Amino acid sequence: MPASLCVIPDSAPNTPPGRPSIHELECPVKAHEWVNGQYRLLVVSAPRAVLDCEPGQFFHLLCPRTDRFQPYLRRPMSIYSYDRAKGEISFLYKVAGEGTGALASLETGDSLNIVGPLGQGFEIRPQWRRPLLVARGVGLATLAPLAQECASLGLPLIAICSARSPDLLMSADLFRSFGAEVITVTDKQGNSDGESLAPMVEGLIRNRGIDAFFTCGSARLLRMLQEIGARHGIGGQVALEQNMACGIGMCQACVRPFRRDDGAVNLRVCREGPVFDLQEVL
Amino acid sequence: MPASLCVIPDSAPNTPPGRPSIHELECPVKAHEWVNGQYRLLVVSAPRAVLDCEPGQFFHLLCPRTDRFQPYLRRPMSIYSYDRAKGEISFLYKVAGEGTGALASLETGDSLNIVGPLGQGFEIRPQWRRPLLVARGVGLATLAPLAQECASLGLPLIAICSARSPDLLMSADLFRSFGAEVITVTDKQGNSDGESLAPMVEGLIRNRGIDAFFTCGSARLLRMLQEIGARHGIGGQVALEQNMACGIGMCQACVRPFRRDDGAVNLRVCREGPVFDLQEVL
Amino acid sequence: MADLTTRIGTLTLKNPIMPASGTFSEELAEVFDLNCLGAHVTKTITRGKRAGNPVPRVCEINGAMLNSIGIPSKGAQWFLQNTVPFYSDYDAPLVVSISANTADEFARFAEEVSVPGVAAIEVNISCPNIEDDGKAFAMKPGATADVIRRMRSATDLPLWAKLSPNTGEVVEVAQAAEVAGADALVTANTMLAMAIDSTTGRVRLGNVMGGLSGPALKPITLRMTYQCARAVSIPVIGCGGIATIDDVLEYLIAGARAVQVGTATFISPTTMPRLVRELDLKLAERGLAAVNALIGTVDVADEAIAIAEYA
Amino acid sequence: MADLTTRIGTLTLKNPIMPASGTFSEELAEVFDLNCLGAHVTKTITRGKRAGNPVPRVCEINGAMLNSIGIPSKGAQWFLQNTVPFYSDYDAPLVVSISANTADEFARFAEEVSVPGVAAIEVNISCPNIEDDGKAFAMKPGATADVIRRMRSATDLPLWAKLSPNTGEVVEVAQAAEVAGADALVTANTMLAMAIDSTTGRVRLGNVMGGLSGPALKPITLRMTYQCARAVSIPVIGCGGIATIDDVLEYLIAGARAVQVGTATFISPTTMPRLVRELDLKLAERGLAAVNALIGTVDVADEAIAIAEYA
Ligand SMILES: Cc1cc2nc3c(=O)[nH]c(=O)nc-3n(C[C@H](O)[C@H](O)[C@H](O)COP(=O)(O)OP(=O)(O)OC[C@H]3O[C@@H](n4cnc5c(N)ncnc54)[C@H](O)[C@@H]3O)c2cc1C
Ligand SMILES: Cc1cc2nc3c(=O)[nH]c(=O)nc-3n(C[C@H](O)[C@H](O)[C@H](O)COP(=O)(O)OP(=O)(O)OC[C@H]3O[C@@H](n4cnc5c(N)ncnc54)[C@H](O)[C@@H]3O)c2cc1C
Ligand SMILES: Cc1cc2nc3c(=O)[nH]c(=O)nc-3n(C[C@H](O)[C@H](O)[C@H](O)COP(=O)(O)O)c2cc1C
Ligand SMILES: Cc1cc2nc3c(=O)[nH]c(=O)nc-3n(C[C@H](O)[C@H](O)[C@H](O)COP(=O)(O)O)c2cc1C
Ligand code: FES
Ligand code: FES
């Protein structure tokens, strides 16, 4: 990384002192179920304060310590869904390692400490009328609330859901329930690679007037959409991941380089992101 | 502690190579109940190999890690009872801190990792025909299997059980079930102090022919019995405690000073003890 | 309400709880009112802009954290124009942590940040990332004295020297800082460490080595705090692995006049206000009227080394 | 069965797993057959008898251990008459760890323990308990070189220098030991630390300060192992916080030719035989024919420092 990168953009925090907008809370677990062999859906009760959140934002979860797992740092998780009426928020996560392994031990009635809502969510610009969602793996969780948002804005929605195998396409039905037209592709079926998807996306642009991309979950798909978007002048956004410590913007752990007017700049995924402009990602 | 103390006595380990006598084992928890507000009884299934144990020996328990408690070192616990026929061993312990707090979270069916049996148990010398057991607090657990041993040797037994309050006198009934005559004293009743007990012990020597002392659980009672024993020429044994790391004799953490022919010597509570000659304790 | 104030040289802090450099920023104002803190300590800044180290910049290991953030910095100008005004809304004193490559640069930079709104300068001579193999000014009494002495003549602001646990000469470095004119010591920065992914064989930090922080560091930095508090007469500010009120008490008992909370804020962003509250409660519980009554009360007397009682 | 042998200078060990000094003794033969180990390393002995430190000698803190055992010792005679014969029943080589107060004493003592049945001498120049404030020979390259040089001319046995994490000059000390004639390095001994009981205000070790060991130490000693393996050409033996097979792999990958297991044996006395077994399985799993294929393979290349992939 060139030493000339300026570390963080010249932006000051946007909340005046005395009005906390990020909360640390103990939330009772309402439900916690296996969605398939790898993913679990965790639903917690949450007060109104933290439900002022947006698709694309995330929470930082304090995973419990168990005899087997001893996670230390928090783990970032996208909001999978939130319901202000029911006072609940849910996370869809893949059991990957120490932290999520420990998270998986939570039972209904247990308490989960969460910090959030954090980061900048998706922005559906007014000129974007026909969005295409392209999600893979964990990205299916992150894009789910965006699909709901599109539905509530009355936007017609097409979603390409990609996964290793058909049983890991867990939120395709949820996308459908929001009225999305869902195209599923999997490695197993051999139709999830770039060569298969690029023509499909090009076709959707031609035939369905796609004018915005939203993606999450795959560097490969991101590169493909950047390339197609640049060629067709189609904008969009991507939700990124990076190892985090604080999640709030204090530690500078989670930076990634982005293209800005004056060259490259390191931005914090937890603060300026996790949602970024598609074309700015380096 | 004078620098002239020799650290460990000149004794080599007594088991020839190739015949392990100390075992590290995972044992399923058979039962785990509160005996009163402070003490719990933990029963685990154990194979025959570790049931070749003696009253006064102990096991070293690997307490689980929980979200709240993160013990690291093992915790030594006296054998409260063992039953070769049923293949079980039990511990009676006081919930004190980190380790025992974690231990208390074990549920039936969970697994407990134990190392043992460890240390030297009580020895009832042939000339000791009328033993007096004097136990306080946690010492009630350590002396319980000795009471059973006395019973099986057909020795008449008197036990003084001391505790802070009557509800903490948990093994008095067990002592009785082994045919012991039990005298209970408590701080609450005001009859557990040395001034009350010394005349009582003197009386028992006079009237009941007590010829050996076994004690555990109180430095104060130990001093008293040393003094009375020395005066009357009555021998005996005491089970001691000391902070431990290895429990096996490797680390020299658990030493205490003892009187030996050639002056003072540091002995390992885990190895040369936990049971020592009453008069040797400094 | 007990008297929580503590004096660090000429500064009086309303309580002994403050953030550790690099684990605190303006963003925390979105979690709680920063006015509840004893002081505000900035991330270390350098005079010019710096990008910091390659990612991954953090990893966790056995209940501790490693970081090789480096010193990304927006430079002196940004600090003066944005950071100082932001914190001027608060009455807690602002402490700016600075770093430089030479004693001279340290002095010139100190002068530059000696502006109204800045209450003290924390001299980061201990960042193990900035120089090769963890070498830093705070590794040697001579280099430490040199930096502090030059800064002393360049600014009137109190100078807090942040020491390193990586040196074998903790006491000598502490005394050198005192003699050279430091107003306080901070014990300590992170310990140089490393992690490898056993599956891939890769180092787990972009910068190969990084600094250990969190609970695993506490026994080491508590020891340094004790050693330094005995060896110097300027105030010592404890830092390393503080997360609970017991940790705070232990540092105060060891001789610290205040403490800095680092990694714990990542684990629980409300740690510091909670500690302020709990400190007040603990003092009350023990019938102590002031935090001062705890400082340096560590008991190393014979009672502690007697044979353990077993009653 | 993979080839687990590893060469430490002129000695060939049947596998790279051995105990760390002070965490092993004859008594462990009652738990498993000691012949399964790569070597046997004794608790540090001194020439004369010593009592060791006051109790409490150990405490635990945040998933780590502190000890201030000191060096209780039954002296040279007992070692020669009892320890050597005991271990002569095994074919694993016996390594005797020794300590002394001066370089001269070290040399004379080395000569005395250079008897048949002793395969190597581990030179404990790093015990933080023995000298004031954790100062030991291994704090300084000069003092280290002095001890090793004199011992080198007093014995033909291989000399393993046990280094300290308390020095700020790890690499210099390692190189000094090599130049002076050490045949291997052991990285490392415990880190000087301290614990206080927040309720009573008492220090938790009879000796006030003591050595940190266990998992919390690993990131520090793994870093030292990596630094030393790059800086010297004699074998480095890793030590610090090893409890799992992943820990073993990490040390080997960092450049260690063998490892020592300390505190983990207290937590689980069967740790070492388990690690030998698991090492064999891991090598098979990875299709490696020999433990040698792992040693020093750490990957610090650009791939590791690229932006984290998120697919
Ligand atoms: C903003 C954001 C939103 C996310 N949303 C989701 C989601 O909705 N569902 C989901 O399943 N996963 C999501 N992830 C990824 C999730 O955070 C990781 O899978 C999780 O941290 C892995 O932790 P672990 O301890 O189980 O795995 P380990 O591999 O043991 O983790 C080791 C360390 O690496 C970090 N880490 C590992 N993978 C990632 C990753 N992909 N991104 C960032 N840090 C990582 C961990 O936080 C931990 O500190 C999200 C990540 C980010 C940054
Ligand atoms: C040989 C032996 C047999 C014992 N038998 C019993 C028994 O049958 N029932 C019972 O309730 N207790 C018994 N104890 C005491 C028991 O080991 C301690 O109560 C227990 O270790 C406390 O651990 P903790 O983590 O809950 O407490 P903490 O106070 O948090 O322990 C902190 C540290 O101090 C050590 N420690 C604390 N108290 C003692 C103690 N009294 N002796 C030795 N180490 C201690 C712990 O092991 C731990 O390492 C015995 C002790 C010994 C040495
Ligand atoms: C992510 C991170 C960044 C840090 N950056 C700095 C820094 O810029 N300057 C500095 O003096 N210390 C820095 N530190 C060290 C902390 O200020 C503190 O000394 C150390 O983390 C020990 O305290 P803790 O265990 O409470 O975190 C940093 C620590 C962390 C974890
Ligand atoms: C109780 C105890 C006693 C020790 N005694 C010695 C010793 O006599 N000589 C020595 O060189 N190291 C001694 N050590 C240090 C260990 O050999 C080892 O270097 C250290 O504990 C780090 O390894 P670990 O984390 O695996 O325990 C001792 C460690 C412990 C815990
Ligand atoms: S995780 Fe700390 S700045 Fe993003
Ligand atoms: S506990 Fe290790 S020798 Fe007794």
Side-chain angles (χ1 to χ4, degrees):
Chain A
M1 196 178 299
S4 64
L5 283 179
C6 171
V7 180
I8 31 174
D10 297 355
S11 64
N14 35 30
T15 314
R19 284 242 326 276
S21 59
I22 300 173
H23 306 270
E24 177 182 344
L25 286 169
E26 293 288 335
C27 295
V29 174
K30 278 176 101 163
H32 196 187
E33 270 139 39
W34 286 102
V35 175
N36 54 44
Q38 290 185 2
Y39 283 82
R40 293 197 72 157
L41 177 67
L42 175 65
V43 186
V44 301
S45 301
R48 179 62 207 230
V50 301
L51 291 169
D52 262 334
C53 53
E54 298 173 1
Q57 285 191 301
F58 70 99
F59 281 83
H60 221 183
L61 311 187
L62 190 65
C63 308
R65 288 176 297 182
T66 70
D67 196 34
R68 186 155 156 228
F69 299 110
Q70 307 274 310
Y72 176 59
L73 297 170
R74 285 178 183 261
R75 299 297 192 264
M77 285 297 160
S78 300
I79 298 165
Y80 180 58
S81 73
Y82 56 100
D83 188 322
R84 292 189 189 122
K86 289 203 209 151
E88 67 181 37
I89 189 159
S90 73
F91 306 101
L92 180 69
Y93 69 94
K94 181 170 165 180
V95 179
E98 195 84 359
T100 50
L103 207 55
S105 74
L106 284 175
E107 290 172 15
T108 306
D110 285 352
S111 176
L112 174 69
N113 183 300
I114 70 173
V115 167
L118 298 168
Q120 312 302 322
F122 292 103
E123 184 197 346
I124 307 176
R125 303 214 181 112
Q127 68 269 31
W128 292 345
R129 306 303 305 161
R130 297 194 169 269
L132 174 68
L133 270 54
V134 184
R136 180 170 164 92
V138 163
L140 288 157
T142 308
L143 292 182
L146 180 65
Q148 181 168 25
E149 183 86 355
C150 290
S152 75
L153 291 172
L155 299 177
L157 184 68
I158 304 178
I160 299 178
C161 296
S162 171
R164 200 112 37 93
S165 60
D167 57 307
L168 299 177
L169 285 166
M170 59 269 158
S171 44
D173 285 343
L174 187 71
F175 282 57
R176 279 190 199 101
S177 76
F178 299 135
E181 187 179 321
V182 175
I183 303 166
T184 64
V185 296
T186 64
D187 302 358
K188 230 174 183 162
Q189 297 163 288
N191 57 356
S192 63
D193 56 312
E195 289 83 72
S196 313
L197 283 177
M200 186 189 291
V201 173
E202 299 268 6
L204 291 169
I205 295 170
R206 254 192 332 270
N207 306 323
R208 312 292 295 275
I210 292 300
D211 60 7
F213 296 143
F214 292 94
T215 189
C216 181
S218 161
R220 206 163 34 78
L221 295 182
L222 166 62
R223 298 298 167 211
M224 180 190 83
L225 293 174
Q226 282 184 320
E227 192 273 319
I228 299 177
R231 253 190 302 111
H232 293 271
I234 293 177
Q237 295 186 319
V238 56
L240 297 179
E241 297 180 358
Q242 181 60 289
N243 284 22
M244 293 184 178
C246 74
I248 293 178
M250 300 184 285
C251 73
Q252 315 287 343
C254 64
V255 296
R256 297 174 67 113
F258 294 86
R259 193 177 291 124
R260 283 278 160 105
D261 328 320
D262 48 346
V265 62
N266 270 345
L267 299 178
R268 296 165 296 185
V269 169
C270 77
R271 185 80 192 175
E272 285 79 42
V275 175
F276 292 94
D277 183 276
L278 191 66
Q279 295 298 345
E280 283 186 359
V281 181
L282 279 174
Chain B
M1 197 178 302
S4 64
L5 282 180
C6 170
V7 180
I8 31 174
D10 297 355
S11 64
N14 35 30
T15 313
R19 284 244 326 273
S21 60
I22 301 174
H23 306 270
E24 178 182 344
L25 286 170
E26 293 288 336
C27 296
V29 173
K30 278 175 103 164
H32 196 187
E33 270 140 39
W34 285 102
V35 174
N36 54 43
Q38 290 185 2
Y39 283 83
R40 292 195 73 157
L41 177 66
L42 174 64
V43 186
V44 302
S45 301
R48 179 61 208 231
V50 302
L51 292 169
D52 262 333
C53 55
E54 298 175 1
Q57 285 191 302
F58 70 99
F59 280 84
H60 221 184
L61 311 187
L62 190 65
C63 308
R65 290 175 297 182
T66 70
D67 196 35
R68 189 156 154 228
F69 299 110
Q70 308 273 310
Y72 177 59
L73 298 171
R74 285 178 183 260
R75 299 297 192 265
M77 285 299 158
S78 301
I79 299 164
Y80 180 58
S81 73
Y82 55 101
D83 187 321
R84 293 190 187 120
K86 289 202 208 153
E88 67 181 38
I89 188 156
S90 73
F91 307 100
L92 180 70
Y93 68 95
K94 182 169 166 182
V95 180
E98 195 84 0
T100 49
L103 207 57
S105 73
L106 284 175
E107 292 174 12
T108 306
D110 285 352
S111 176
L112 174 69
N113 183 301
I114 69 172
V115 168
L118 298 168
Q120 312 301 323
F122 292 103
E123 184 198 347
I124 308 175
R125 302 214 182 113
Q127 70 270 32
W128 293 343
R129 307 302 306 159
R130 298 194 168 267
L132 173 68
L133 271 53
V134 184
R136 180 168 164 93
V138 163
L140 288 156
T142 307
L143 292 183
L146 179 66
Q148 181 169 23
E149 183 86 357
C150 289
S152 75
L153 290 173
L155 300 176
L157 184 68
I158 303 177
I160 299 177
C161 296
S162 169
R164 201 115 32 97
S165 60
D167 57 309
L168 298 177
L169 285 167
M170 59 270 159
S171 42
D173 285 342
L174 186 71
F175 282 57
R176 278 189 201 101
S177 75
F178 298 135
E181 186 178 321
V182 175
I183 302 165
T184 64
V185 298
T186 64
D187 301 358
K188 229 173 184 165
Q189 297 164 289
N191 56 356
S192 63
D193 55 310
E195 289 83 74
S196 312
L197 284 176
M200 185 189 292
V201 173
E202 301 267 7
L204 290 169
I205 294 171
R206 251 189 338 267
N207 307 323
R208 312 290 296 276
I210 292 299
D211 60 8
F213 296 143
F214 293 94
T215 187
C216 180
S218 161
R220 204 165 34 80
L221 295 182
L222 165 62
R223 300 296 167 214
M224 180 189 83
L225 293 174
Q226 283 184 319
E227 192 272 318
I228 299 178
R231 252 190 304 112
H232 293 270
I234 293 177
Q237 296 186 317
V238 56
L240 296 179
E241 296 180 0
Q242 181 60 288
N243 285 21
M244 293 186 179
C246 74
I248 293 179
M250 301 184 284
C251 74
Q252 315 288 342
C254 63
V255 296
R256 297 175 67 114
F258 294 85
R259 192 177 292 123
R260 283 279 159 105
D261 328 320
D262 48 346
V265 61
N266 270 344
L267 299 179
R268 296 164 297 185
V269 170
C270 77
R271 185 82 193 173
E272 285 80 42
V275 175
F276 292 93
D277 183 277
L278 191 67
Q279 295 298 347
E280 283 187 359
V281 181
L282 280 175
Chain C
M1 173 94 196
D3 178 5
L4 298 186
T5 60
T6 188
R7 285 185 67 85
I8 306 295
T10 53
L11 281 180
T12 299
L13 312 185
K14 76 175 141 228
N15 66 61
I17 310 290
M18 69 180 93
S21 176
T23 63
F24 175 74
S25 70
E26 293 89 315
E27 284 82 0
L28 202 56
E30 296 174 32
V31 180
F32 64 86
D33 180 359
L34 302 185
N35 242 337
C36 72
L37 301 176
H40 297 151
V41 182
T42 71
K43 165 84 184 167
T44 299
I45 56 168
T46 54
R47 215 158 172 228
K49 291 190 177 191
R50 285 172 58 93
N53 287 331
V55 294
R57 288 178 166 186
V58 293
C59 68
E60 71 169 44
I61 175 163
N62 293 323
M65 173 177 174
L66 298 190
N67 89 81
S68 62
I69 305 283
I71 311 283
S73 173
K74 290 189 260 175
Q77 282 317 305
W78 208 90
F79 170 76
L80 295 172
Q81 281 161 25
N82 296 273
T83 312
V84 176
F86 177 91
Y87 289 105
S88 69
D89 284 352
Y90 299 94
D91 51 82
L94 176 64
V95 181
V96 55
S97 169
I98 69 171
S99 180
N101 289 316
T102 65
D104 232 42
E105 272 182 42
F106 256 114
R108 271 182 291 141
F109 193 18
E111 208 175 337
E112 193 168 355
V113 296
S114 296
V115 296
V118 175
I121 298 176
E122 187 173 283
V123 193
N124 181 359
I125 43 174
S126 48
C127 179
N129 303 322
I130 213 166
E131 311 246 326
D132 195 41
D133 261 7
K135 292 280 148 56
F137 293 97
M139 298 297 284
K140 295 279 177 196
T144 298
D146 198 29
V147 169
I148 301 294
R149 200 176 310 108
R150 299 220 196 176
M151 291 179 74
R152 184 66 298 158
S153 55
T155 179
D156 290 333
L157 285 179
L159 296 176
W160 299 0
K162 183 146 175 199
L163 305 192
S164 169
N166 293 304
T167 180
E169 301 167 275
V170 172
V171 167
E172 293 83 349
V173 169
Q175 289 169 336
E178 178 178 35
V179 169
D183 298 278
L185 305 177
V186 181
T187 49
N189 214 310
T190 55
M191 180 88 208
L192 192 66
M194 182 174 180
I196 292 175
D197 183 316
S198 65
T199 307
T200 62
R202 284 199 191 140
V203 293
R204 291 178 59 198
L205 289 177
N207 203 41
V208 185
M209 293 184 258
L212 177 76
S213 66
L217 187 63
K218 193 185 76 171
I220 299 169
T221 43
L222 181 70
R223 178 263 298 171
M224 285 179 66
T225 302
Y226 170 76
Q227 288 178 307
C228 291
R230 285 197 308 170
V232 301
S233 52
I234 52 177
V236 176
I237 299 166
C239 177
I242 296 175
T244 68
I245 186 63
D246 285 330
D247 297 330
V248 173
L249 299 178
E250 291 165 27
Y251 273 95
L252 296 173
I253 291 168
R257 300 199 61 80
V259 296
Q260 295 187 342
V261 177
T263 312
T265 294
F266 301 164
I267 309 305
S268 171
T270 56
T271 300
M272 287 187 286
R274 198 186 63 236
L275 292 177
V276 173
R277 228 170 25 246
E278 291 177 352
L279 181 59
D280 191 30
L281 293 174
K282 276 282 175 185
L283 291 174
E285 204 179 294
R286 299 190 182 184
L288 298 174
V291 77
N292 265 323
L294 267 180
I295 294 170
T297 56
V298 60
D299 178 3
V300 294
D302 279 349
E303 295 86 76
I305 64 180
I307 301 291
E309 254 304 356
Y310 61 104
Chain D
M1 175 93 194
D3 177 6
L4 298 186
T5 61
T6 189
R7 285 185 67 84
I8 306 295
T10 53
L11 280 180
T12 299
L13 311 186
K14 73 175 146 229
N15 66 60
I17 311 291
M18 69 180 93
S21 176
T23 64
F24 176 75
S25 70
E26 292 90 317
E27 283 82 0
L28 202 57
E30 294 174 33
V31 181
F32 63 85
D33 179 359
L34 301 186
N35 241 337
C36 73
L37 301 176
H40 297 152
V41 183
T42 70
K43 167 83 184 166
T44 299
I45 57 168
T46 53
R47 214 157 172 228
K49 290 190 177 190
R50 285 172 58 92
N53 287 330
V55 294
R57 289 179 166 186
V58 294
C59 68
E60 72 169 44
I61 175 163
N62 293 320
M65 174 176 173
L66 298 189
N67 89 80
S68 62
I69 304 284
I71 311 281
S73 174
K74 290 189 262 176
Q77 282 318 305
W78 208 91
F79 170 76
L80 295 172
Q81 282 160 24
N82 297 272
T83 312
V84 176
F86 177 90
Y87 287 106
S88 68
D89 284 352
Y90 299 94
D91 51 85
L94 176 64
V95 181
V96 56
S97 169
I98 68 170
S99 181
N101 288 318
T102 66
D104 232 42
E105 271 182 43
F106 256 114
R108 272 182 290 141
F109 192 18
E111 208 176 336
E112 191 168 356
V113 295
S114 295
V115 297
V118 175
I121 297 176
E122 187 173 284
V123 193
N124 182 358
I125 45 175
S126 48
C127 180
N129 304 322
I130 213 165
E131 311 250 323
D132 196 39
D133 261 8
K135 292 280 150 56
F137 292 97
M139 299 298 283
K140 296 280 178 195
T144 298
D146 199 29
V147 169
I148 301 293
R149 200 175 311 108
R150 299 220 197 176
M151 291 180 74
R152 183 66 299 161
S153 54
T155 178
D156 289 332
L157 285 179
L159 296 176
W160 299 1
K162 183 144 177 201
L163 304 192
S164 169
N166 292 305
T167 178
E169 302 168 274
V170 172
V171 167
E172 293 83 349
V173 168
Q175 290 169 336
E178 179 178 34
V179 169
D183 298 278
L185 306 176
V186 181
T187 49
N189 214 311
T190 56
M191 180 88 208
L192 193 67
M194 182 175 179
I196 293 174
D197 183 315
S198 66
T199 308
T200 62
R202 284 199 191 142
V203 293
R204 292 178 57 200
L205 289 177
N207 203 42
V208 185
M209 293 185 259
L212 177 74
S213 66
L217 186 64
K218 192 184 75 169
I220 299 169
T221 43
L222 182 69
R223 178 262 299 170
M224 284 180 67
T225 302
Y226 170 76
Q227 288 178 308
C228 290
R230 285 197 309 171
V232 300
S233 52
I234 51 176
V236 176
I237 299 166
C239 177
I242 296 175
T244 68
I245 186 63
D246 285 331
D247 297 330
V248 173
L249 298 179
E250 290 165 28
Y251 273 95
L252 296 174
I253 291 168
R257 300 200 61 80
V259 297
Q260 295 187 342
V261 178
T263 312
T265 294
F266 301 164
I267 309 305
S268 170
T270 57
T271 300
M272 287 188 285
R274 197 185 63 237
L275 292 178
V276 174
R277 226 168 30 242
E278 291 177 352
L279 181 59
D280 192 31
L281 293 174
K282 275 283 175 185
L283 291 175
E285 204 179 293
R286 299 192 181 184
L288 298 174
V291 77
N292 265 322
L294 267 180
I295 295 169
T297 56
V298 60
D299 179 2
V300 295
D302 279 349
E303 294 87 76
I305 65 179
I307 301 292
E309 254 306 355
Y310 60 103

